Amino acid sequence: MIIRWESEHDYVLVHVHQDMFGDWIFVRAWGQTGTAYGGIQHALAEDYTQAMTWVSDVDHIQRLRGFTKVLETSDDAPEARDAVRQLSLLDAH
């Protein structure tokens, strides 16, 4: 699952997926739209329920900050592949 929120100049992107060991990985990236400024954080969730709780928390916080959800998709959608490529670019810095 990939979810993206945006404000006028900033974005937050969350990617929740299982790794090859069956663990649930929660990735949160943030930055300024159109720039290389940003960060990325990886966390290992105890289970799917905990990962979804974290997603709900991020959604609540971003909406309070005036962000709008602009993307929510499964990992195999074309939009998801583009979003994961963006995460890879952030991870390289």
Side-chain angles (χ1 to χ4, degrees):
M1 165 189 296
I2 294 179
I3 305 171
R4 182 179 172 108
W5 297 264
E6 292 180 359
S7 68
E8 187 176 341
H9 301 289
D10 301 315
Y11 71 90
V12 173
L13 187 137
V14 168
H15 181 208
V16 175
H17 63 282
Q18 272 187 300
D19 66 9
M20 67 179 136
F21 303 109
D23 294 324
W24 287 98
I25 308 299
F26 177 89
V27 181
R28 183 173 60 93
W30 61 91
Q32 293 178 344
T33 307
T35 73
Y37 297 111
I40 189 166
Q41 177 185 31
H42 303 265
L44 176 63
E46 290 182 21
D47 53 26
Y48 179 77
T49 301
Q50 183 180 41
M52 291 300 100
T53 299
W54 292 345
V55 168
S56 178
D57 291 347
V58 170
D59 182 62
H60 179 75
I61 290 166
Q62 298 317 314
R63 289 176 189 271
L64 286 175
R65 292 179 175 169
F67 282 66
T68 303
K69 187 188 295 184
V70 296
L71 175 68
E72 183 169 357
T73 188
S74 64
D75 285 359
D76 56 356
E79 300 89 1
R81 286 189 287 273
D82 291 340
V84 170
R85 268 195 294 279
Q86 291 173 7
L87 286 176
S88 298
L89 293 172
L90 278 176
D91 219 7
H93 288 92

